[in-house]
Amino acid sequence: DAKTTQPNSMESNEEEPVHLPCNHSTISGTDYIHWYRQLPSQGPEYVIHGLTSNVNNRMASLAIAEDRKSSTLILHRATLRDAAVYYCILRGNTGGFKTIFGAGTRLFVKA
Amino acid sequence: EPEVTQTPSHQVTQMGQEVILRCVPISNHLYFYWYRQILGQKVEFLVSFYNNEISEKSEIFDDQFSVERPDGSNFTLKIRSTKLEDSAMYFCASTWLAPSYEQYFGPGTRLTVT
């Protein structure tokens, strides 16, 4: 499975934008870039995903580099509720389409 | 919005006992999964299940583990003889089909083996 690299932690102020980076230099052409987050004491939660183009949804935006070797999850206005571990994951056509979690980035949001 | 549900939320069992963790995936999904997370560690893939058979399993998923879809709605994980190191949060997940679709995770079952 292709690997992703994320910073261990990041800090943000409430109501400011947050840019969470992810490197995935060994991504294959059929890998989708998924982002999930895990709030304290909860199960992982889907945030957003994309293949080549930038994506927006009600939770966040995903900016994908032209060579697809990196991506950035953008939270437009961080709230205290966004404090969580954010996982950047590649999902491809391997058996079962499983999700392999790394350590993720722990986001701290200051009031 | 559809959701994955899991029961029980917390299970306490003694070492050597069998436990069954239950999940109800989203109704039109085709792939089902179990993951576990030991306290303070990352989420680990255990097994994926499609078309009534295991699609892929990790090294963790040894002979002590089994999965079943006994009817059209439930998906279960059985641990035959629990060990202390099986204590963890167990998450069920489901997805429609391809990697272009998101996985939906349940809230988890906390298993405590004493």
Side-chain angles (χ1 to χ4, degrees), chain B residues 60-66 78-83 86:
Chain B
I60 303 167
F61 195 89
D62 61 22
D63 292 344
Q64 293 298 315
F65 292 88
S66 62
K78 184 195 290 186
I79 309 175
R80 260 180 273 282
S81 177
T82 50
K83 307 181 190 117
D86 293 327

Side-chain angles (χ1 to χ4, degrees), chain A residues 23-63:
Chain A
N23 287 317
H24 28 79
S25 57
T26 58
I27 190 171
S28 78
T30 55
D31 285 340
Y32 282 78
I33 302 159
H34 286 246
W35 284 81
Y36 289 79
R37 72 179 185 181
Q38 189 173 23
L39 301 171
S41 303
Q42 293 190 28
E45 175 187 29
Y46 166 78
V47 178
I48 200 167
H49 77 283
L51 183 62
T52 56
S53 306
N54 295 344
V55 185
N56 300 298
N57 67 19
R58 62 178 175 83
M59 287 182 74
S61 295
L62 175 60

Side-chain angles (χ1 to χ4, degrees), chain A residues 1 30 32 34 36 38 41-46 49 58 87 91-103, chain B residues 1 31 33 35 37 42-45 48 55-56 89 91 95 97-108:
Chain A
D1 296 302
T30 55
Y32 282 78
H34 286 246
Y36 289 79
Q38 189 173 23
S41 303
Q42 293 190 28
E45 175 187 29
Y46 166 78
H49 77 283
R58 62 178 175 83
Y87 301 97
R91 291 186 66 213
N93 291 320
T94 57
F97 309 132
K98 63 183 183 288
T99 298
I100 299 297
F101 288 85
Chain B
E1 189 167 316
Y31 270 93
Y33 308 81
Y35 296 83
Q37 186 173 34
K42 64 182 183 181
V43 179
E44 300 173 287
F45 166 76
S48 60
S55 178
E56 189 167 356
M89 282 290 288
F91 297 109
T95 191
L97 186 59
S100 56
Y101 291 88
E102 59 269 35
Q103 279 193 339
Y104 288 86
F105 286 80

Side-chain angles (χ1 to χ4, degrees), chain B residues 2-111:
Chain B
E3 58 180 14
V4 176
T5 59
Q6 291 186 241
T7 53
S9 56
H10 190 190
Q11 172 98 44
V12 181
T13 189
Q14 289 191 324
M15 202 165 51
Q17 296 296 304
E18 174 183 288
V19 293
I20 297 176
L21 310 183
R22 291 183 167 79
C23 167
V24 179
I26 293 170
S27 61
N28 64 343
H29 282 183
L30 300 179
Y31 270 93
F32 313 108
Y33 308 81
W34 284 100
Y35 296 83
R36 80 171 186 191
Q37 186 173 34
I38 294 170
L39 188 63
Q41 298 186 24
K42 64 182 183 181
V43 179
E44 300 173 287
F45 166 76
L46 291 179
V47 65
S48 60
F49 191 85
Y50 170 71
N51 201 26
N52 277 323
E53 60 182 27
I54 289 174
S55 178
E56 189 167 356
K57 59 183 181 178
S58 72
E59 292 174 353
I60 303 167
F61 195 89
D62 61 22
D63 292 344
Q64 293 298 315
F65 292 88
S66 62
V67 289
E68 196 178 33
R69 189 150 160 83
D71 53 44
S73 58
N74 291 286
F75 180 50
T76 62
L77 174 70
K78 184 195 290 186
I79 309 175
R80 260 180 273 282
S81 177
T82 50
K83 307 181 190 117
L84 293 176
E85 53 265 36
D86 293 327
S87 295
M89 282 290 288
Y90 287 80
F91 297 109
C92 174
S94 68
T95 191
W96 165 233
L97 186 59
S100 56
Y101 291 88
E102 59 269 35
Q103 279 193 339
Y104 288 86
F105 286 80
T109 292
R110 177 169 299 284
L111 176 65

